Amino acid sequence: MSATGSDAWWASKKGPEWVAAASGTYRVTFWWRDPAGTQATSRVQRVWLYITGVTDHHRQASPHSLQRIADTDVWFAEVELESRWRGSYCLIPSENETDFPPDAFASPPDRIALREGWRKLLAHAIADPLNPQSWRGGRGHPVSALEMPGAPPQPGWGASETPFNEPHCLTWHSARLKNRRRVWVFTTGEGVSADRPLAILLDGQFWANSMPVWPALASLTTQGQLPAAVYLLIDVIDNTHRSQELPCNEAFWLAVQEELLEQVRAIAPFSDSGENTVVAGQSFGGLSALYAGLHWPQRFGCVLSQSGSYWWPHRGEGQDGFLIEQLKKGALQPHGLRIVLEAGVREPLIYRTNQALLALLEHKPVTIEWRPVDGGHDALCWRGGLTAGLITLWHSLSRTA
């Protein structure tokens, strides 16, 4: 047996390892190799473990650090996860003994202290060097993927080698919004039929660059689980524009309808039918998708909302979010919308407000499917929900229907 911390021992490590626990959960061990060696030669005092929805501020749990095995370059931590859990994580080596204010270690920990501590630390996060499944997450820092054996399937995402049509990348100059941004137009299937349905994916830069969605969509189309379609991915420009344009912004959606759709149609014809037009988004994008469907159901008849920020604009203030308030007042009367509503059980505020929204929509003349997910505010969960949601909303159009 190789000595702990030897080159041969490290060669056997391929990322987190887990064993089944008697409770039906899994005990997961995370490893990190200190490039500076042992405690005698390294200045590293902490290796913070940030697991979305488990050790982050959403959980309101004290910050979690790996521990060094004395006189080795080995750091490790054990965490218990549910059998259906899926999510991303990152490591944050630090030369400080404590990077959080004392309130972060109170009982219970102060959520603001946790949020601020993690916000500063995440700028120094690294992906797990032992895990080849890594990317740059939606918040801009590197993350790695982890899923337990019981995690639900993610349609299309195992087909990374599937050939696909090259997407068109355009620049949209908006007169109404007085800005410009990239958009991507992607088509699946053969031919250029004007009967193809349209799907608009918000936060398009993520699905185009950080976690390219093209092979998954192409594979599912080839399999007949999705129809031949046109996909429009819209860049957010930057976080400032994202926070202004996505939360319930009429001007943004008027610009999409009056300016962008005709520009896209000239490249890739699609159906005018709102009945099969999908708007899909996550977080602020999920809020925006439902806003579009509620206000222009004749154009955007299908909504795929994942981890929608329905608390907006009252984060943690105990007040109804804007859309929930409007629905309660009767200011919005949706008719005929088809909605897939998804939220993670490990994102408490968002999960709670999604349930409040669901309770209102269930009494409206809409078709709605509710999907709770054992995960957090996490793109690794969203990618499977995105393709599964498209399959649900376009079921009547696919070859397997």
Side-chain angles (χ1 to χ4, degrees):
M1 181 179 294
S2 302
T4 300
S6 67
D7 288 344
W9 185 86
W10 276 114
S12 70
K13 303 301 178 188
K14 308 300 180 186
E17 300 169 329
W18 57 85
V19 294
S23 62
T25 61
Y26 286 86
R27 189 170 66 254
V28 183
T29 304
F30 295 83
W31 304 101
W32 183 69
R33 187 176 194 177
D34 191 334
T38 71
Q39 69 271 19
T41 55
S42 174
R43 298 175 62 180
V44 174
Q45 299 296 313
R46 295 280 191 177
V47 182
W48 300 107
L49 176 60
Y50 185 93
I51 309 175
T52 304
V54 178
T55 66
D56 62 2
H57 66 278
H58 291 290
R59 186 73 171 184
Q60 204 169 357
S62 295
H64 199 86
S65 173
L66 281 67
Q67 303 296 315
R68 184 192 290 276
I69 297 178
D71 303 318
T72 73
D73 60 1
V74 179
W75 289 76
F76 80 100
E78 290 187 347
V79 175
E80 191 166 308
L81 296 173
E82 301 292 330
S83 63
R84 291 177 60 83
W85 186 85
R86 171 185 281 117
S88 59
Y89 68 97
C90 59
L91 304 169
I92 312 172
S94 174
E95 296 180 2
N96 301 318
E97 179 65 26
T98 301
D99 291 289
F100 293 85
D103 286 351
F105 298 91
S107 182
D110 181 74
R111 193 181 297 275
I112 294 176
L114 288 172
R115 180 185 291 275
E116 283 304 300
W118 285 122
R119 184 183 62 80
K120 293 175 183 177
L121 281 171
L122 286 173
H124 308 286
I126 61 171
D128 184 347
L130 301 175
N131 188 341
Q133 297 187 69
S134 301
W135 71 96
R136 190 163 292 275
R139 292 185 175 91
H141 61 272
V143 292
S144 300
L146 179 63
E147 58 185 22
M148 294 296 97
Q154 295 198 308
W157 286 97
S160 59
E161 302 303 316
T162 302
F164 55 84
N165 299 325
E166 195 66 26
H168 297 268
C169 184
L170 316 172
T171 300
W172 171 28
H173 297 263
S174 173
R176 179 182 284 274
L177 300 175
K178 297 180 174 57
N179 58 35
R180 63 180 183 177
R181 77 190 74 210
R182 297 170 299 172
V183 298
W184 293 263
V185 180
F186 180 64
T187 60
T188 55
E190 303 297 329
V192 290
S193 171
D195 294 329
R196 293 176 295 185
L198 172 70
I200 299 173
L201 276 56
L202 302 173
D203 279 300
Q205 75 291 338
F206 181 81
W207 301 112
N209 297 326
S210 298
M211 193 175 283
V213 71
W214 328 121
L217 297 177
S219 173
L220 292 171
T221 306
T222 300
Q223 296 170 28
Q225 295 190 62
L226 288 176
V230 176
Y231 297 87
L232 168 60
L233 284 64
I234 304 177
D235 192 353
V236 296
I237 303 178
D238 53 36
N239 281 334
T240 299
H241 282 86
R242 184 177 189 271
S243 64
Q244 293 170 349
E245 293 182 342
L246 291 190
C248 305
N249 187 314
E250 180 184 34
F252 174 78
W253 284 107
L254 288 175
V256 168
Q257 294 174 81
E258 295 169 359
E259 302 173 7
L260 181 57
L261 292 188
E262 290 310 306
Q263 185 177 348
V264 172
R265 191 190 305 277
I267 296 170
F270 54 83
S271 171
D272 280 326
S273 170
E275 182 181 357
N276 293 310
T277 300
V278 176
V279 182
Q282 301 77 35
S283 195
F284 273 164
L287 170 68
S288 188
L290 184 58
Y291 176 85
L294 289 172
H295 286 79
W296 298 278
Q298 73 286 353
R299 175 64 269 186
F300 309 118
C302 299
V303 173
L304 173 51
S305 170
Q306 299 176 271
S307 299
S309 299
Y310 295 110
W311 52 263
W312 181 87
H314 307 299
R315 181 192 290 274
E317 297 177 16
Q319 301 180 52
D320 288 331
F322 176 76
L323 277 189
I324 292 175
E325 182 182 61
Q326 294 294 299
L327 286 165
K328 282 185 174 181
K329 289 179 177 179
L332 296 172
Q333 294 296 334
H335 291 279
L337 282 182
R338 287 185 289 135
I339 303 168
V340 172
L341 192 66
E342 177 183 291
V345 299
R346 297 176 185 267
E347 44 182 353
L349 175 60
I350 282 178
Y351 191 77
R352 187 167 62 251
T353 53
N354 271 261
Q355 287 184 306
L357 176 70
L358 176 67
L360 291 171
L361 290 175
E362 284 179 326
H363 301 289
K364 303 291 184 181
V366 301
T367 301
I368 188 164
E369 180 170 320
W370 165 240
R371 294 180 175 175
V373 176
D374 190 356
H377 203 71
D378 200 319
L380 192 65
C381 299
W382 295 336
R383 70 176 191 178
L386 174 63
T387 50
L390 288 170
I391 290 170
T392 295
L393 293 168
W394 280 344
H395 177 71
S396 62
L397 301 179
S398 66
R399 292 203 305 266
T400 57

